[in-house]
Amino acid sequence: MFLGHAHIGGPDRVRHWRRSGQNTDTHLNANDIQGEGSLMTEIRVAIIGGGGFMGYAHSLGWALAPIAADAGATIRKSVLVEADEERAKAAAKRLNWDEWSADWRQVIARDDIDVVDIVTPPAAHAEIAIAALAAGKHVFVEKPISNDLAEADLMQAAAEKSSVVSQVGFNYRHAPAITFIKRMLDDGTLGHPLQFRAHYTQDVGVLGRVLSGWRAKKGAGGSGVTGDIGSHIIDLASYLVGDIDSVTGIIGAKDPADDTAWLPDKQRRAGQHLDDAALWMAKFTNGAIGSFAATVYASGRKNRMFFELECTRGNVEFDWNHSDELKLSLVSDPPEQQGFRTVSMNENHDDFWWPLGGMGSGYVDDAALQLQKFVKAIVEGRSGAPSFADATRTQRVIAAVMESADSLRWVTVDEVTA
Ligand code: NAI
Ligand code: SOE
């Protein structure tokens, strides 16, 4: 028998329910077996756009979020929303959501929804997120926050005005290896960042694969490689190194008529083509420097997100294709042992789930970890990270890269307006 059964509103409205005696509730969770006095909170989620790629990842993530560690809550996968009824019904059934709907406005208006998880193409993020915040829901939105800087600014303002928790889906920063790198930066092990070099390379372009139609069209939410995959390495750079002050970049858009060429800049700009390849350099506000590359024309590269970060006391290297490890070199290593060593994630690292190293930590773990942190922020009444403000700044860096590629000059990020 339960003494109460409360659901969560804003951080100031977080309530718990306390278990006492025999469990007769059908929504069992890890806390149910902890016995008398354990605290639990049920969070009811609606996912918007849940029938696609991220709908699958987030459905797995929501299923694992409360299990991965004690997030202090149970999750109810309440409603899956899709663009049409057939798609909504099929996806809800397949991904095990209680209900389905083809009307996100109606779902957002419901009192029995606590969290709105937006996994639609970016062109729809702003309208849904701003409406959900206005309705008092906690909001998780996939990256990029929006391709449109003016929309991102509005989303940031709406989040800052609200008393709910909001977070953006830059998932890779939550991998245990990245969390460990961040720790080594914060505790001084690595020293001051000097140079960051990152690549995000995929082969979908060279293979002629179309992942989702919207990615190829600006109006439908496509943002080119700088916005779609480059945003991840900008987020990592900002998280680990600090704010980017200014950038200079070049971008290439494939010439539809000539397989061997990038379009001349003038033609690219006139035709509003999306970028298929991009290179940019950056100066950070703390004095560090960086270089970035993003392309979907890299044969053999399967979602390879790679970076090297050189600091005054050491150097780290990370490759998402080996997400369970990182390479580390410390200036303080004995002279006869200098060089890179591989550090495998294990039970001594934050957010590693298993009592034994070598078990791996991958894309699903990462999806769950970011949602688990979001849930913890709700339960503890803290801000989500990366926040709407963080993601809007990332969008401003992207806009600066674009402006720089068009003007062929350095662009200061803070001077970019929507
Ligand atoms: P997708 O095209 O596979 O799925 C999007 C879904 O949204 C579709 O099923 C579509 O029918 C639905 N939808 C569109 N408008 C809707 C509306 N008004 N109401 C309800 N449903 C609607 O796209 P994908 O790849 O899942 O991308 C979605 C978002 O996730 C994008 O922002 C993308 O950048 C991001 N993403 C993030 C990844 C990551 O690793 N963090 C990986 C892939 C995508
Ligand atoms: C593009 O192919 C894509 O799906 C991005 O949209 C994601 O953000 C990235 O994680 C994987 O690649």
Side-chain angles (χ1 to χ4, degrees):
M1 186 111 141
F2 293 98
L3 293 181
H5 196 161
H7 299 287
I8 294 185
D12 50 335
R13 283 176 276 145
V14 170
R15 288 175 292 152
H16 300 280
W17 45 284
R18 189 175 291 274
R19 179 177 181 268
S20 165
Q22 183 102 32
N23 185 357
T24 53
D25 193 284
T26 48
H27 310 300
L28 296 178
N29 58 66
N31 286 335
D32 286 326
I33 55 169
Q34 285 175 9
E36 189 78 27
S38 60
L39 287 172
M40 287 175 285
T41 302
E42 186 181 61
I43 296 178
R44 299 155 300 181
V45 182
I47 189 167
I48 321 290
F53 179 3
M54 277 304 97
Y56 196 95
H58 284 220
S59 294
L60 291 172
W62 283 120
L64 293 173
I67 300 166
D70 184 9
T74 58
I75 301 299
R76 182 154 189 147
K77 286 160 65 195
S78 292
V79 192
L80 184 146
V81 186
E82 254 300 332
D84 64 66
E85 297 202 349
E86 212 168 298
R87 197 169 164 80
K89 196 172 173 180
K93 191 169 170 217
R94 175 168 178 243
L95 302 171
N96 200 23
W97 289 77
D98 291 349
E99 296 173 50
W100 56 269
S101 167
D103 185 345
W104 63 262
R105 284 184 185 81
Q106 214 173 59
V107 171
I108 281 175
R110 280 170 55 162
D111 285 340
D112 61 346
I113 295 298
D114 306 302
V115 163
V116 174
D117 179 19
I118 305 165
V119 293
T120 60
H125 288 180
E127 189 184 10
I128 303 172
I130 291 169
L133 289 167
K137 311 300 181 191
H138 304 290
V139 176
F140 190 99
V141 65
E142 257 305 334
K143 50 57 61 180
I145 183 165
S146 165
N147 295 326
D148 182 313
L149 194 50
E151 282 186 354
D153 283 337
L154 289 174
M155 290 168 81
Q156 177 183 343
E160 286 171 355
K161 212 176 81 187
S162 77
S163 62
V164 291
V165 177
S166 42
Q167 188 172 317
V168 180
F170 285 112
N171 47 333
Y172 298 114
R173 66 152 73 186
H174 302 290
I178 302 291
T179 302
F180 182 51
I181 293 171
K182 175 75 172 148
R183 195 167 101 195
M184 289 192 289
L185 284 160
D186 289 347
D187 70 14
T189 304
L190 288 171
H192 186 77
L194 294 172
Q195 189 172 153
F196 180 81
R197 290 185 301 281
H199 288 185
Y200 201 141
T201 49
Q202 296 183 338
D203 61 0
V204 287
V206 81
L207 294 180
R209 275 192 66 197
V210 180
L211 208 61
S212 300
W214 61 264
R215 279 192 172 80
K217 289 179 229 130
K218 247 184 196 165
S223 54
V225 292
T226 313
D228 194 14
I229 54 178
S231 56
H232 284 292
I233 43 181
I234 296 171
D235 176 67
L236 282 176
S238 312
Y239 180 53
L240 296 174
V241 184
D243 276 350
I244 292 176
D245 171 73
S246 48
V247 292
T248 183
I250 47 175
I251 62 180
K254 211 74 186 48
D255 185 342
D258 179 355
D259 199 33
T260 64
W262 303 115
L263 280 169
D265 268 346
K266 216 171 155 186
Q267 238 174 291
R268 170 182 65 76
R269 284 198 295 273
Q272 295 279 299
H273 292 276
L274 291 171
D275 48 310
D276 296 306
L279 294 166
W280 64 101
M281 291 194 294
K283 292 180 201 163
F284 292 80
T285 53
N286 61 9
I289 55 176
S291 70
F292 299 75
T295 179
V296 287
Y297 278 81
S299 171
R301 292 300 185 203
K302 306 290 180 187
N303 200 46
R304 182 175 191 251
M305 195 193 60
F306 169 90
F307 69 81
E308 194 164 8
L309 172 58
E310 283 134 14
C311 303
T312 47
R313 291 190 186 148
N315 185 354
V316 282
E317 184 186 296
F318 174 81
D319 180 347
W320 175 256
N321 293 150
H322 303 274
S323 61
D324 196 26
E325 60 189 40
L326 57 89
K327 302 259 196 277
L328 174 69
S329 160
L330 292 175
V331 176
S332 59
D333 290 338
E336 69 279 13
Q337 289 177 23
Q338 287 198 352
F340 277 93
R341 58 180 166 280
T342 301
V343 179
S344 297
M345 291 303 103
N346 62 53
E347 67 280 10
N348 298 298
H349 295 102
D350 291 339
D351 299 331
F352 191 81
W353 291 352
W354 313 113
L356 193 62
M359 294 303 181
S361 178
Y363 195 63
V364 175
D365 315 45
D366 210 32
L369 281 172
Q370 68 171 355
L371 295 177
Q372 186 189 51
K373 287 181 185 172
F374 178 62
V375 167
K376 279 186 177 165
I378 294 172
V379 171
E380 293 166 14
R382 287 185 287 104
S383 310
S387 65
F388 278 23
D390 297 331
T392 298
R393 184 161 180 95
T394 291
Q395 217 48 43
R396 195 158 256 107
V397 175
I398 293 164
V401 172
M402 295 298 151
E403 199 174 309
S404 159
D406 287 351
S407 63
L408 302 178
R409 60 176 182 86
W410 279 87
V411 173
T412 302
V413 175
D414 281 336
E415 286 172 9
V416 177
T417 48

